[in-house]
Amino acid sequence: MCAVIVEPLIQCAGYMRMYHHKYLELLSEACREYNIHLIADEIAVGFGRTGTMFGFQQAKITPDIICLSKGITGGYMTLSTILTTDDIYDAFYDEYEKLNAFLHSHSYTANPIACSAANATLDIFKDKDVIKNKILSAHMRKCFESLKDHPHVSDVRQKGMVLAIELIKDKKRKGLL
Ligand SMILES: *Cc1c(COP(=O)(O)O)cnc(C)c1O
């Protein structure tokens, strides 16, 4: 099995690099062409952070595997989960003796308190229009816009509720670090 793993729309671990959703579409096409699985790590960008429930939805692609954590409990408890297609699930679903099973578990798998926190969080997403509320992200943009002119700020970039301020010692050396 071969796979590509990406953080949709924002490469958070690594300077909050934001990229166009077209990249995900082309990547998804290439993966399909070469029969490579596409894994979307939505741990940081999922649950409305970029303006849609999941980042990959802006590219209208369907990853083979999705990783979720952080926002799934609103940050109140630790919980993570992996979602996948029936095909991949079935490939590992077998009698124990056949040794096909992908043995993956943790001591506190399905911890009931963490799962309750996740259910409560998902209820809020269902009942309240939290993602469509763009007021806060527009407010953030307004608050930090003027920093672009600061001598030690080389970039202010934003995608939904993620705003990154890049600090630099010498603005003329941008990109030469
Ligand atoms: C935090 C983070 C992880 C690690 O998540 P855990 O639930 O702690 O395993 C992985 N990927 C991304 C993008 C993250 O932000």
Side-chain angles (χ1 to χ4, degrees), residues 8 17-18 23-24 32 35 59 63 86 112 162 169-170 174:
R17 288 196 174 95
M18 297 170 186
Y23 173 81
L24 288 173
R32 224 173 304 125
N35 205 18
D86 286 342
V162 177
K169 194 170 173 190
D170 179 358
K174 185 183 177 200

Side-chain angles (χ1 to χ4, degrees), residues 77-103:
M77 283 292 292
T78 55
L79 184 79
S80 61
T81 183
I82 302 288
L83 313 182
T84 190
T85 58
D86 286 342
D87 277 356
I88 294 177
Y89 180 84
D90 289 342
F92 295 103
Y93 190 80
D94 216 334
E95 296 301 326
Y96 181 74
E97 300 78 46
K98 296 202 180 140
L99 302 177
N100 264 344
F102 178 51
L103 295 176

